Amino acid sequence: MSSEVSTECLVLGAGPAGLQASYLLTRAGRDHLVLEAGDAPGTFFTRFPRHRTLISINKPNTGWDDPELNLRTDWNSLLSDDPSLLFTRYTPRYFPDADDMVRYLADFAAAHELPIRHDTRVVSVARPDGDFLLTDQRGTTYRARRLIVATGVSRPYIPPIEGVEHAETYGEVSLDAAEFTGQRVLIIGRGNSAFETADHLVETAAVIHVAGPGSLRLAWQTHFVGHLRAVNNNFLDTYQLKSQNALLDGTVLAIRREGDGYVVPFSFARVAERVKEIRYDRVILATGFRFDASIFADDCRPRLTINDRFPDQTAAWESVNVPDLFFAGTLTQVRDFKKSTNGFIHGFRYGVRALHHILEHRYHGVPWPSRDLDPTAEAVADAVVARVNRTSALWQLFGFMADAVLAGPDGSLRHVAEVPVDHLHEAVARGDFGAVDSYLAVTLEYGADHDRVDPFDIDAGRNSQQDTSGLDARYLHPVVRHYRDGALLAEHHMTENLENEWDSEDVHVKPLLAFLHARLTGPAVGAP
């Protein structure tokens, strides 16, 4: 017999983002329920990555005793007030095993007694009367005013290639490398899952080709951790050192079955789009994942974007076409796609916390946490220097998350931590932070065109660590921008530093003070 459960907010998915959202809702005393299809939190990590090694770093030994600083090299922990619930306590491995993540998430949920219903697979989401109405596989319905979707990208992305049905997917292909002995293998895809698979087959396959359009992007150059990581790039040696394997730059036009194998016409980008037909014994798709919107009824189906792989979202992580439908976790990477870290735990844990502040303000009238500053350039400089030398949120979500200093018409100054830059501009314009005459946004950023420069090329140039302007800095460094009504008035770059310590009196503090003195004029921040 079916029944109905009502709550204020439903969270769909008990992965890292769902647990982080539930922890914050629980701590705030908000009525909510988490619905999880699996029999435990973090079901995704019981299957992925297929070869069981995470590429999110885990560094227990930093030499620091500051827990905030330690989160800079802990890419797996969720945010909580319990120091025993840090992932770094679960394994010393720099690249940990996925099973450690499963164990960690289960402990996190249990320790905080999060309200999770396991074995609850939602089969439909409707909105017949203003509330969201979710139905599970048993016919039980769940009603709520708000819905936070934290399911991740749960379906494989299948590219539009003729004959693609002949390919095996990354999620289903055999892990027994012996099955590929002496075979010619094509792996379609250029991400970490493709190279993880190729590396697994190097010892048994005769020939491996990894294929995809565009130039290969390497994480150590682009600083986007979703690009190819060094831990997965051993395959590149076998290509460049002539061991029968190759990286194919171009487009797979079709996959045709012929006899016991396949013929694949391939259009090469490097040789004027020449097409060559290549024979393979196996074809594997490692082209990533996408969001599954199939459970949503027409009246509340979120609009999709980026090849229909992700739900389109506002600066508040709300669906652009369905009010009160929010997203958390890897789905939020649409806001900084292939630039920053919203697609990964070490980024989205801060995004979920920011989302919590947004929802608390919108639905409960709770202001974003802030603290007053003395209305002087010295007080602002002290606050900026202290934060950039400790913050993990701005460090991880570089160029996306900002601290703000808000100047009231009366000359008062308030410091607000960890606000997404796009949301900051919109929130100030709406008056969410009260009366604001002008404001400073403080971010950590890489320099312009940093992803086009070889960081190991000594001739490419790096500015001196004694250069007080900081304008040509290519590595991560603090940037302070001054805005009024969303318009940029001025900006200041603090010089990069090898140890990421931006507190030199002559190199960092005095130039910052000069900038702030120029901007903090009269009774309020900001004569332009």
Side-chain angles (χ1 to χ4, degrees):
M1 182 176 177
S2 62
S3 60
E4 182 171 297
V5 177
S6 293
T7 187
E8 180 181 328
C9 179
L10 285 167
V11 179
L12 191 54
L19 297 186
Q20 187 70 80
S22 180
Y23 166 79
L24 295 166
L25 288 165
T26 298
R27 192 175 64 169
R30 304 303 177 197
D31 185 36
H32 73 287
L33 186 62
V34 182
L35 305 180
E36 167 58 40
D39 59 4
T43 304
F44 177 88
F45 292 99
T46 64
R47 292 193 62 210
F48 300 103
R50 295 296 310 285
H51 302 95
R52 311 310 294 145
T53 299
L54 300 176
I55 58 173
S56 48
I57 67 173
N58 175 64
K59 191 176 181 186
N61 304 305
T62 64
W64 300 321
D65 57 10
D66 184 338
E68 178 70 14
L69 273 177
N70 285 333
L71 285 171
R72 290 183 173 185
T73 55
D74 173 359
W75 289 10
N76 301 284
S77 291
L78 299 180
L79 304 176
S80 81
D81 295 327
D82 186 347
S84 70
L85 286 171
L86 290 170
F87 186 87
T88 49
R89 295 175 180 262
Y90 280 68
T91 173
R93 290 181 57 185
Y94 191 75
F95 292 113
D97 190 282
D99 291 336
D100 292 323
M101 177 60 73
V102 175
R103 186 164 53 95
Y104 170 73
L105 295 176
D107 288 352
F108 187 93
H112 295 296
E113 300 181 338
L114 302 181
I116 304 171
R117 286 206 177 185
H118 294 108
D119 299 307
T120 301
R121 181 171 54 85
V122 173
V123 297
S124 68
V125 180
R127 200 177 192 184
D129 54 10
D131 288 345
F132 290 99
L133 195 65
L134 282 63
T135 305
D136 70 15
Q137 78 274 26
R138 290 177 289 268
T140 302
T141 56
Y142 306 84
R143 179 181 293 272
R145 287 182 56 200
R146 292 182 298 287
L147 175 60
I148 300 174
V149 177
T151 55
V153 280
S154 56
R155 291 285 186 91
Y157 171 68
I158 307 299
I161 299 171
E162 179 186 344
V164 72
E165 67 275 7
H166 296 306
E168 304 166 80
T169 65
Y170 166 74
E172 302 296 336
V173 68
S174 173
L175 295 180
D176 183 0
E179 289 187 15
F180 296 82
T181 300
Q183 293 187 339
R184 296 173 57 87
V185 181
L186 171 65
I187 301 173
I188 302 175
R190 302 287 283 276
N192 283 288
S193 61
F195 284 90
E196 168 199 330
T197 303
D199 193 49
H200 179 65
L201 300 179
V202 160
E203 293 181 355
T204 56
V207 172
I208 305 171
H209 289 169
V210 175
S215 299
L216 182 66
R217 307 303 303 278
L218 302 170
W220 51 258
Q221 180 174 12
T222 66
H223 304 110
F224 173 63
V225 299
H227 284 147
L228 181 59
R229 301 286 297 284
V231 69
N232 284 326
N233 74 10
N234 289 338
F235 176 84
L236 297 182
D237 265 11
T238 72
Y239 169 36
Q240 288 299 306
L241 300 181
K242 303 179 291 300
S243 295
Q244 294 185 276
N245 301 326
L247 185 68
L248 308 185
D249 304 308
T251 305
V252 173
L253 301 179
I255 304 169
R256 298 198 309 266
R257 180 80 185 187
E258 287 194 8
D260 294 334
Y262 306 92
V263 172
V264 176
F266 189 83
S267 177
F268 286 88
R270 291 177 182 263
V271 285
E273 297 298 331
R274 180 190 171 198
V275 175
K276 180 178 181 178
E277 293 194 343
I278 308 175
R279 285 193 153 273
Y280 298 101
D281 298 297
R282 307 279 282 270
V283 179
I284 301 170
L285 281 183
T287 47
F289 298 86
R290 66 174 179 83
F291 174 63
D292 182 10
S294 64
I295 62 174
F296 289 85
D298 291 341
D299 62 353
C300 63
R301 180 172 293 125
R303 183 186 307 159
L304 303 181
T305 188
I306 309 178
N307 295 324
D308 289 342
R309 293 179 61 188
F310 303 96
D312 203 359
Q313 298 158 49
T314 70
W317 295 294
E318 186 175 19
S319 168
V320 296
N321 65 306
V322 183
D324 306 312
L325 171 60
F326 297 89
F327 301 94
T330 192
L331 292 173
T332 62
Q333 65 185 283
V334 71
R335 295 295 309 176
D336 62 345
F337 191 60
K338 296 189 177 181
K339 293 179 180 178
S340 195
T341 60
N342 269 303
F344 311 90
I345 294 174
H346 62 296
F348 69 60
R349 61 192 177 195
Y350 302 105
V352 175
R353 185 160 67 184
L355 172 63
H356 179 74
H357 290 320
I358 291 169
L359 300 185
E360 284 289 288
H361 179 263
R362 182 187 296 191
Y363 297 106
H364 304 287
V366 178
W368 199 293
S370 65
R371 61 188 178 95
D372 293 335
L373 298 177
D374 290 337
T376 65
E378 288 74 16
V380 174
D382 287 346
V384 169
V385 170
R387 279 287 292 166
V388 298
N389 281 287
R390 289 191 67 230
T391 172
S392 176
L394 273 58
W395 172 276
Q396 307 290 18
L397 284 170
F398 53 88
F400 182 89
M401 190 75 80
D403 280 4
V405 177
L406 310 175
D410 60 354
S412 62
L413 295 176
R414 285 179 294 142
H415 183 274
V416 182
E418 301 174 18
V419 188
V421 173
D422 290 344
H423 177 73
L424 172 63
H425 297 316
E426 294 182 4
V428 168
R430 282 194 304 265
D432 292 356
F433 292 113
V436 175
D437 178 75
S438 69
Y439 54 101
L440 302 174
V442 182
T443 55
L444 292 176
E445 300 180 20
Y446 291 94
D449 298 323
H450 66 93
D451 58 338
R452 304 295 176 185
V453 177
D454 182 352
F456 304 118
D457 181 0
I458 63 172
D459 294 324
R462 291 278 287 269
N463 68 322
S464 167
Q465 293 185 55
Q466 303 306 311
D467 178 359
T468 59
S469 73
L471 288 175
D472 296 323
R474 287 196 172 123
Y475 189 63
L476 196 70
H477 64 284
V479 182
V480 183
R481 293 185 174 91
H482 185 203
Y483 294 93
R484 177 179 284 118
D485 298 327
L488 178 64
L489 303 178
E491 66 181 79
H492 172 72
H493 292 248
M494 296 173 69
T495 297
E496 63 184 77
N497 179 269
L498 175 65
E499 281 139 342
N500 305 303
E501 296 174 353
W502 301 285
D503 55 4
S504 165
E505 186 69 23
D506 291 330
V507 177
H508 300 114
V509 178
K510 286 182 179 178
L512 174 61
L513 272 171
F515 173 79
L516 294 173
H517 276 298
R519 307 316 303 170
L520 295 169
T521 58
V525 172

